[in-house]
CSV table of all heavy atoms in Angstrom, one decimal:
chain,number,residue,atom,x,y,z
A,1,LEU,N,223.3,-27.9,63.1
A,1,LEU,CA,222.7,-27.7,64.4
A,1,LEU,C,223.8,-27.4,65.4
A,1,LEU,O,223.7,-26.6,66.3
A,1,LEU,CB,222.0,-29.0,64.8
A,1,LEU,CG,221.4,-29.0,66.3
A,1,LEU,CD1,220.5,-27.9,66.5
A,1,LEU,CD2,220.7,-30.4,66.6
A,2,TYR,N,225.0,-28.1,65.3
A,2,TYR,CA,226.1,-27.9,66.1
A,2,TYR,C,226.5,-26.4,66.0
A,2,TYR,O,226.8,-25.7,67.1
A,2,TYR,CB,227.3,-28.8,65.7
A,2,TYR,CG,228.6,-28.3,66.3
A,2,TYR,CD1,229.0,-28.7,67.6
A,2,TYR,CD2,229.5,-27.5,65.5
A,2,TYR,CE1,230.2,-28.2,68.1
A,2,TYR,CE2,230.6,-27.0,66.0
A,2,TYR,CZ,231.0,-27.4,67.3
A,2,TYR,OH,232.2,-26.9,67.8
A,3,ASN,N,226.6,-25.8,64.8
A,3,ASN,CA,227.0,-24.4,64.7
A,3,ASN,C,226.1,-23.5,65.4
A,3,ASN,O,226.5,-22.5,66.0
A,3,ASN,CB,227.1,-24.1,63.2
A,3,ASN,CG,228.2,-24.8,62.5
A,3,ASN,OD1,229.2,-25.2,63.1
A,3,ASN,ND2,228.1,-25.0,61.2
A,4,ASP,N,224.8,-23.7,65.2
A,4,ASP,CA,223.8,-22.9,65.9
A,4,ASP,C,223.9,-22.9,67.4
A,4,ASP,O,223.8,-21.9,68.1
A,4,ASP,CB,222.4,-23.2,65.4
A,4,ASP,CG,222.1,-22.8,64.0
A,4,ASP,OD1,223.0,-22.2,63.4
A,4,ASP,OD2,220.9,-22.9,63.6
A,5,VAL,N,224.0,-24.1,67.9
A,5,VAL,CA,224.1,-24.3,69.4
A,5,VAL,C,225.4,-23.7,69.9
A,5,VAL,O,225.4,-23.1,71.0
A,5,VAL,CB,224.0,-25.8,69.7
A,5,VAL,CG1,224.3,-26.0,71.2
A,5,VAL,CG2,222.7,-26.4,69.4
A,6,SER,N,226.5,-23.8,69.1
A,6,SER,CA,227.8,-23.2,69.6
A,6,SER,C,227.7,-21.7,69.7
A,6,SER,O,228.2,-21.1,70.6
A,6,SER,CB,228.9,-23.6,68.6
A,6,SER,OG,229.1,-25.0,68.6
A,7,LYS,N,227.0,-21.1,68.7
A,7,LYS,CA,226.8,-19.7,68.7
A,7,LYS,C,226.0,-19.2,69.9
A,7,LYS,O,226.2,-18.2,70.6
A,7,LYS,CB,226.2,-19.2,67.4
A,7,LYS,CG,227.1,-19.3,66.2
A,7,LYS,CD,226.4,-19.0,64.9
A,7,LYS,CE,227.3,-19.2,63.7
A,7,LYS,NZ,226.6,-18.9,62.4
A,8,PHE,N,224.9,-20.0,70.1
A,8,PHE,CA,224.0,-19.7,71.2
A,8,PHE,C,224.8,-19.8,72.6
A,8,PHE,O,224.6,-19.0,73.5
A,8,PHE,CB,222.8,-20.6,71.2
A,8,PHE,CG,221.8,-20.4,72.3
A,8,PHE,CD1,220.9,-19.4,72.2
A,8,PHE,CD2,221.8,-21.1,73.5
A,8,PHE,CE1,219.9,-19.1,73.2
A,8,PHE,CE2,220.9,-20.9,74.5
A,8,PHE,CZ,220.0,-19.9,74.4
A,9,ALA,N,225.6,-20.9,72.7
A,9,ALA,CA,226.3,-21.1,73.9
A,9,ALA,C,227.4,-20.0,74.2
A,9,ALA,O,227.7,-19.7,75.3
A,9,ALA,CB,227.0,-22.5,73.9
A,10,ALA,N,227.9,-19.5,73.1
A,10,ALA,CA,229.0,-18.5,73.2
A,10,ALA,C,228.4,-17.2,73.7
A,10,ALA,O,229.0,-16.3,74.3
A,10,ALA,CB,229.7,-18.3,71.9
A,11,ALA,N,227.1,-16.9,73.3
A,11,ALA,CA,226.4,-15.7,73.6
A,11,ALA,C,225.6,-15.7,74.9
A,11,ALA,O,225.1,-14.6,75.3
A,11,ALA,CB,225.6,-15.2,72.4
A,12,ASN,N,225.4,-16.9,75.5
A,12,ASN,CA,224.5,-17.0,76.6
A,12,ASN,C,225.0,-17.9,77.7
A,12,ASN,O,225.9,-18.7,77.4
A,12,ASN,CB,223.1,-17.6,76.2
A,12,ASN,CG,222.4,-16.7,75.1
A,12,ASN,OD1,221.7,-15.7,75.5
A,12,ASN,ND2,222.6,-17.0,73.9
A,13,ASP,N,224.5,-17.8,78.9
A,13,ASP,CA,224.9,-18.6,80.0
A,13,ASP,C,224.1,-19.9,79.9
A,13,ASP,O,222.9,-19.9,80.2
A,13,ASP,CB,224.7,-17.9,81.3
A,13,ASP,CG,225.0,-18.9,82.5
A,13,ASP,OD1,225.5,-19.9,82.3
A,13,ASP,OD2,224.6,-18.5,83.7
A,14,VAL,N,224.7,-21.0,79.4
A,14,VAL,CA,223.9,-22.2,79.2
A,14,VAL,C,224.0,-23.1,80.4
A,14,VAL,O,223.5,-24.3,80.4
A,14,VAL,CB,224.4,-22.9,77.9
A,14,VAL,CG1,224.1,-22.1,76.7
A,14,VAL,CG2,225.9,-23.3,78.1
A,15,GLN,N,224.5,-22.6,81.5
A,15,GLN,CA,224.5,-23.4,82.8
A,15,GLN,C,223.7,-22.6,83.8
A,15,GLN,O,224.0,-22.6,85.0
A,15,GLN,CB,225.9,-23.6,83.3
A,15,GLN,CG,226.9,-24.3,82.3
A,15,GLN,CD,226.5,-25.8,82.1
A,15,GLN,OE1,227.1,-26.4,81.2
A,15,GLN,NE2,225.6,-26.3,82.8
A,16,ASP,N,222.7,-21.9,83.3
A,16,ASP,CA,221.9,-21.0,84.2
A,16,ASP,C,220.8,-21.8,85.0
A,16,ASP,O,220.1,-21.2,85.8
A,16,ASP,CB,221.2,-20.0,83.3
A,16,ASP,CG,220.2,-20.5,82.3
A,16,ASP,OD1,220.2,-21.8,82.1
A,16,ASP,OD2,219.4,-19.8,81.7
A,17,GLY,N,220.7,-23.1,84.8
A,17,GLY,CA,219.7,-23.8,85.5
A,17,GLY,C,218.3,-23.5,85.0
A,17,GLY,O,217.3,-23.9,85.7
A,18,GLY,N,218.2,-22.8,83.9
A,18,GLY,CA,216.9,-22.4,83.4
A,18,GLY,C,216.7,-22.8,82.0
A,18,GLY,O,217.2,-23.9,81.6
A,19,GLN,N,216.0,-22.0,81.2
A,19,GLN,CA,215.7,-22.4,79.8
A,19,GLN,C,216.8,-22.4,78.8
A,19,GLN,O,216.8,-23.2,77.8
A,19,GLN,CB,214.5,-21.6,79.3
A,19,GLN,CG,213.2,-21.8,80.1
A,19,GLN,CD,212.8,-23.2,80.1
A,19,GLN,OE1,212.6,-23.9,79.1
A,19,GLN,NE2,212.8,-23.8,81.3
A,20,ASN,N,217.9,-21.6,79.1
A,20,ASN,CA,219.1,-21.7,78.2
A,20,ASN,C,219.7,-23.1,78.3
A,20,ASN,O,220.0,-23.8,77.3
A,20,ASN,CB,220.1,-20.7,78.7
A,20,ASN,CG,219.8,-19.3,78.2
A,20,ASN,OD1,219.0,-19.1,77.3
A,20,ASN,ND2,220.4,-18.3,78.8
A,21,GLN,N,219.8,-23.6,79.5
A,21,GLN,CA,220.4,-24.9,79.8
A,21,GLN,C,219.4,-26.0,79.2
A,21,GLN,O,219.9,-27.0,78.6
A,21,GLN,CB,220.6,-25.1,81.3
A,21,GLN,CG,221.4,-26.4,81.6
A,21,GLN,CD,221.8,-26.5,83.0
A,21,GLN,OE1,221.5,-25.6,83.8
A,21,GLN,NE2,222.5,-27.5,83.4
A,22,ALA,N,218.2,-25.8,79.4
A,22,ALA,CA,217.2,-26.8,78.9
A,22,ALA,C,217.2,-27.0,77.4
A,22,ALA,O,217.3,-28.1,76.9
A,22,ALA,CB,215.8,-26.4,79.4
A,23,VAL,N,217.2,-25.9,76.6
A,23,VAL,CA,217.2,-26.0,75.2
A,23,VAL,C,218.5,-26.5,74.6
A,23,VAL,O,218.5,-27.3,73.6
A,23,VAL,CB,216.8,-24.7,74.5
A,23,VAL,CG1,215.3,-24.3,74.9
A,23,VAL,CG2,217.7,-23.6,74.8
A,24,VAL,N,219.6,-26.2,75.3
A,24,VAL,CA,220.9,-26.6,74.8
A,24,VAL,C,221.1,-28.1,75.1
A,24,VAL,O,221.6,-28.9,74.3
A,24,VAL,CB,222.0,-25.8,75.5
A,24,VAL,CG1,223.4,-26.5,75.3
A,24,VAL,CG2,222.1,-24.4,74.9
A,25,GLN,N,220.6,-28.6,76.3
A,25,GLN,CA,220.7,-30.0,76.6
A,25,GLN,C,219.9,-30.8,75.6
A,25,GLN,O,220.3,-31.9,75.2
A,25,GLN,CB,220.3,-30.3,78.1
A,25,GLN,CG,220.3,-31.8,78.4
A,25,GLN,CD,220.5,-32.0,79.9
A,25,GLN,OE1,220.9,-31.2,80.6
A,25,GLN,NE2,220.2,-33.2,80.3
A,26,GLU,N,218.7,-30.3,75.3
A,26,GLU,CA,217.8,-31.0,74.4
A,26,GLU,C,218.5,-31.1,73.0
A,26,GLU,O,218.5,-32.2,72.3
A,26,GLU,CB,216.5,-30.3,74.2
A,26,GLU,CG,215.5,-31.0,73.3
A,26,GLU,CD,214.2,-30.2,73.1
A,26,GLU,OE1,214.2,-28.9,73.2
A,26,GLU,OE2,213.2,-30.8,72.8
A,27,ALA,N,219.2,-30.0,72.6
A,27,ALA,CA,219.9,-30.0,71.3
A,27,ALA,C,221.1,-31.0,71.3
A,27,ALA,O,221.3,-31.7,70.3
A,27,ALA,CB,220.3,-28.6,71.0
A,28,LEU,N,221.9,-31.0,72.4
A,28,LEU,CA,223.0,-31.8,72.5
A,28,LEU,C,222.6,-33.3,72.5
A,28,LEU,O,223.3,-34.2,71.9
A,28,LEU,CB,223.8,-31.5,73.7
A,28,LEU,CG,224.5,-30.1,73.8
A,28,LEU,CD1,225.2,-29.9,75.1
A,28,LEU,CD2,225.4,-29.9,72.6
A,29,GLU,N,221.6,-33.6,73.2
A,29,GLU,CA,221.1,-35.0,73.3
A,29,GLU,C,220.6,-35.5,71.9
A,29,GLU,O,220.9,-36.6,71.5
A,29,GLU,CB,220.0,-35.2,74.3
A,29,GLU,CG,220.5,-35.1,75.7
A,29,GLU,CD,219.3,-35.2,76.7
A,29,GLU,OE1,218.1,-35.3,76.3
A,29,GLU,OE2,219.6,-35.3,77.9
A,30,ALA,N,220.0,-34.6,71.2
A,30,ALA,CA,219.5,-34.9,69.8
A,30,ALA,C,220.7,-35.2,68.9
A,30,ALA,O,220.7,-36.1,68.1
A,30,ALA,CB,218.7,-33.7,69.3
A,31,MET,N,221.8,-34.3,69.0
A,31,MET,CA,222.9,-34.5,68.2
A,31,MET,C,223.6,-35.9,68.4
A,31,MET,O,224.0,-36.6,67.5
A,31,MET,CB,224.0,-33.4,68.4
A,31,MET,CG,223.6,-32.1,67.7
A,31,MET,SD,225.0,-30.9,67.8
A,31,MET,CE,224.6,-30.1,69.4
A,32,VAL,N,223.7,-36.2,69.7
A,32,VAL,CA,224.3,-37.5,70.0
A,32,VAL,C,223.5,-38.7,69.5
A,32,VAL,O,224.0,-39.6,68.9
A,32,VAL,CB,224.5,-37.6,71.6
A,32,VAL,CG1,224.9,-39.0,72.0
A,32,VAL,CG2,225.5,-36.6,72.1
A,33,LEU,N,222.2,-38.6,69.7
A,33,LEU,CA,221.3,-39.7,69.2
A,33,LEU,C,221.3,-39.8,67.7
A,33,LEU,O,221.4,-40.9,67.1
A,33,LEU,CB,219.9,-39.5,69.7
A,33,LEU,CG,219.6,-39.7,71.2
A,33,LEU,CD1,218.3,-39.1,71.6
A,33,LEU,CD2,219.7,-41.2,71.5
A,34,LEU,N,221.3,-38.7,67.0
A,34,LEU,CA,221.3,-38.7,65.5
A,34,LEU,C,222.6,-39.1,64.9
A,34,LEU,O,222.6,-39.7,63.8
A,34,LEU,CB,220.9,-37.3,65.0
A,34,LEU,CG,219.5,-36.7,65.4
A,34,LEU,CD1,219.4,-35.3,65.0
A,34,LEU,CD2,218.4,-37.6,64.9
A,35,LEU,N,223.7,-38.9,65.6
A,35,LEU,CA,225.0,-39.3,65.1
A,35,LEU,C,225.4,-40.7,65.5
A,35,LEU,O,226.4,-41.3,65.0
A,35,LEU,CB,226.1,-38.3,65.5
A,35,LEU,CG,226.2,-37.0,64.8
A,35,LEU,CD1,227.3,-36.1,65.5
A,35,LEU,CD2,226.5,-37.2,63.3
A,36,ALA,N,224.7,-41.3,66.4
A,36,ALA,CA,225.0,-42.6,67.0
A,36,ALA,C,225.2,-43.7,65.9
A,36,ALA,O,226.1,-44.5,66.0
A,36,ALA,CB,224.0,-43.0,68.0
A,37,PRO,N,224.3,-43.8,64.9
A,37,PRO,CA,224.5,-44.8,63.9
A,37,PRO,C,225.9,-44.6,63.1
A,37,PRO,O,226.4,-45.6,62.6
A,37,PRO,CB,223.3,-44.6,62.9
A,37,PRO,CG,222.3,-44.0,63.8
A,37,PRO,CD,223.1,-43.0,64.6
A,38,ILE,N,226.4,-43.4,63.1
A,38,ILE,CA,227.6,-43.2,62.3
A,38,ILE,C,228.9,-43.3,63.2
A,38,ILE,O,229.9,-43.9,62.9
A,38,ILE,CB,227.6,-41.8,61.7
A,38,ILE,CG1,226.3,-41.6,60.9
A,38,ILE,CG2,228.8,-41.6,60.8
A,38,ILE,CD1,226.1,-42.5,59.7
A,39,VAL,N,228.8,-42.7,64.4
A,39,VAL,CA,229.9,-42.7,65.3
A,39,VAL,C,229.5,-43.2,66.7
A,39,VAL,O,229.4,-42.5,67.7
A,39,VAL,CB,230.6,-41.3,65.5
A,39,VAL,CG1,231.3,-40.9,64.2
A,39,VAL,CG2,229.5,-40.2,65.7
A,40,PRO,N,229.2,-44.5,66.8
A,40,PRO,CA,228.6,-45.1,68.0
A,40,PRO,C,229.5,-45.0,69.3
A,40,PRO,O,229.0,-44.8,70.3
A,40,PRO,CB,228.4,-46.5,67.6
A,40,PRO,CG,229.4,-46.8,66.5
A,40,PRO,CD,229.5,-45.5,65.8
A,41,HIS,N,230.8,-45.2,69.1
A,41,HIS,CA,231.7,-45.2,70.3
A,41,HIS,C,231.7,-43.9,71.0
A,41,HIS,O,231.5,-43.7,72.2
A,41,HIS,CB,233.1,-45.7,69.9
A,41,HIS,CG,233.1,-47.0,69.1
A,41,HIS,ND1,233.1,-47.0,67.7
A,41,HIS,CD2,233.0,-48.3,69.5
A,41,HIS,CE1,233.1,-48.2,67.3
A,41,HIS,NE2,233.0,-49.0,68.3
A,42,LEU,N,231.9,-42.8,70.2
A,42,LEU,CA,232.0,-41.5,70.7
A,42,LEU,C,230.6,-41.1,71.3
A,42,LEU,O,230.6,-40.6,72.4
A,42,LEU,CB,232.3,-40.5,69.5
A,42,LEU,CG,232.1,-39.0,69.9
A,42,LEU,CD1,233.3,-38.5,70.7
A,42,LEU,CD2,231.9,-38.2,68.6
A,43,CYS,N,229.6,-41.4,70.6
A,43,CYS,CA,228.2,-41.0,71.1
A,43,CYS,C,227.9,-41.7,72.4
A,43,CYS,O,227.1,-41.2,73.3
A,43,CYS,CB,227.2,-41.2,70.0
A,43,CYS,SG,227.4,-40.1,68.6
A,44,HIS,N,228.3,-43.0,72.6
A,44,HIS,CA,228.0,-43.7,73.8
A,44,HIS,C,228.6,-43.0,75.0
A,44,HIS,O,228.0,-42.8,76.0
A,44,HIS,CB,228.6,-45.1,73.7
A,44,HIS,CG,228.5,-45.9,75.0
A,44,HIS,ND1,227.3,-46.6,75.4
A,44,HIS,CD2,229.3,-46.1,76.0
A,44,HIS,CE1,227.5,-47.1,76.5
A,44,HIS,NE2,228.7,-46.8,77.0
A,45,VAL,N,229.9,-42.5,74.9
A,45,VAL,CA,230.5,-41.8,76.0
A,45,VAL,C,229.8,-40.4,76.2
A,45,VAL,O,229.6,-40.0,77.4
A,45,VAL,CB,232.0,-41.6,75.7
A,45,VAL,CG1,232.7,-40.8,76.7
A,45,VAL,CG2,232.7,-42.9,75.5
């Protein structure tokens, strides 16, 4: 998921205040929540 989001972010303006930013934020939040049991300190920040 990180690889897909990175490629999308490199090819698009993900700070557009629109749907690019919305889907990327949803993906990033999911990554943080899903990794929290493994890397809790990093994910908290």
Side-chain angles (χ1 to χ4, degrees):
L1 176 58
Y2 163 85
N3 290 335
D4 285 5
V5 174
S6 295
K7 292 176 183 177
F8 181 83
N12 299 275
D13 177 11
V14 296
Q15 303 292 174
D16 62 349
Q19 293 308 297
N20 282 343
Q21 187 171 1
V23 296
V24 168
Q25 180 156 339
E26 183 182 28
L28 296 179
E29 289 181 353
M31 281 190 274
V32 170
L33 288 167
L34 297 175
L35 283 177
I38 309 295
V39 285
H41 309 93
L42 169 78
C43 290
H44 175 83
V45 177

